[in-house]
Amino acid sequence: MAARVTWVEARDFRNHPGTRLDLGEGLTAVVGPNGEGKTNLLEAIFYLCALESPRVASDEPLVRRGAAAAYLRGELEASGATALVEVEIRPSGANRVQVNRSPVRRRRDVRRIVRAVFAGPDDLEIVAGEPGARRRFLDEAVRILWPAREGVITAYDRALRQRNRLLKDWDGWGTPRGLEAWDGELAAHGAALTAARSEAAGRIAIPAARAFEALSGGPSEPLTLTVEYRPSVSGDSLEAAFLARLDERRGDELVRRTTLVGPHRDDLALAVAGLSARGFASHGEASGAALCLRLGLASAVREELGEPPPILLDDPFSGLDPARRRRVAESLGSWGQLVIAVPDEAQVPEGAEVVRVRGGAVVGG
Amino acid sequence: MFEGPIQDLIDELSRLPGIGPKSAQRLAFHLVKVPADEARRLAGAIVAAKEKVRFCRECFAVSEGDLCRVCRDPGRDPSVICVVEESKDQAAVEKAGVVKGRYHVLGGAISPLEGIGPDDLRVQELLDRVARDGVAEVILATNPNLEGNATAMYVAGLLKPLRVRVTRLASGLPVGGDLEYADEVTLGQALEGRREM
Ligand SMILES: [Zn+2]
């Protein structure tokens, strides 16, 4: 069995006034020129599962111009059970979410049903961008693998902001009062977040490397991708190590008035053929590595839950030559549900169900 | 922006905790529509509460008199102090019926983001009580969230040299929540299972 979205309806969502899409159990290719609304459909599928966009932080751009709200409805299927999810997205104010016609108290309970993985051109930033993009990817992986550990991410973030404010507002005499108390909170939540990120990176590393090997031509033409978590704090007893590091950096922290130790300074080291991907990978290698990180995450989710999550690939082939395209399509041939958005018919993989999108509507299969 | 008294009312209401500008506007427009005697009753209740409600001079819980009901009760064990953030938390702990001692209301929790530091809380008053009354145990029953934990840790650090037993609520309460939302049984268990800090 595979977790999947069986159908989705998007009303006043981006450029879709009202679109219904029925999805098969295997590969679906959504075909349309750029700007016609194919990525928006993938975004709608992801939103239905995750209750957030994979592309934008605010919901405002999701509501079609002139509409009061956007609506998404659809059916999720996982572990043999189905759930009808309905979302009203309002440009400002809280969204309304219902599952099987009952309001939802905790978003997390919806997100854990089907853990879709979205990969798109923006992922290049994970490989080529600042460490912050890689930390966001790691946190996303933690949330999707273990929804209950989301609280660790928010708790650390708040502890960090509290401690930074204390350092910033300090009058400069002695030491900031209560700093040790915030050290304790920062270390407790920071150690938990470090452990979670480390575990997530460990789960992703091997399947991502395997996907990259397949993409770059298999063992005859070996190009390896290595994924390695570089935590700000490491040690056998993380919390104790964290407190010791804080103690070492105290002087610097008081001078610079900000927290210098902790997961907000982590990085994820990515190397292609042993060289840092950020500086040395070609554009094609970098987009390939980004795609493989997402595929690695999807494999980790399959490992964790025992069934493959839906994978939503937005324009995965444009950076790849035809041979590589074929290899990606082949390597995903036996995956569960897979929805691919491509700009032209030539990129549609063999055996795909085809959906054509024009001007915010499905114009035929 | 509106003119005159209605804007004054919106401004005053939006200074209340948990009331944003939008809610303040909604409340203000509601209030100007209610019958005059209803408005007068509300205004009267606010003024009366302000004039009559006081804080217990021992524990700083909301009290009608100089001393609150718990501090007046000779049957309570003066050697145990249960520290809470707000008076409403004291009420929640009382309902659980586990604490046989007295209380100390800090008046909030440390939160640099909201500009609340140790000096804004009644921490010194707690230290004075502990030293003066020969207190044997201080139970830190601040909320089981980030700010509550940090406050407990800060207070525990100050109590350490006073050689008093310092305990904290057992985990098991919904993390990130407030004491007042915990049910009596769960809160009772968290108090029974408190651990040394
Ligand atoms: Zn009292």
Side-chain angles (χ1 to χ4, degrees), chain B residues 56 58-61 68 71:
Chain B
C56 172
E58 277 297 302
C59 73
F60 303 98
C68 74
C71 291

Side-chain angles (χ1 to χ4, degrees), chain A residues 61-75:
Chain A
L62 306 181
V63 180
R64 198 164 73 97
R65 202 166 302 155
Y71 298 86
L72 293 176
R73 298 174 66 217
E75 189 181 66

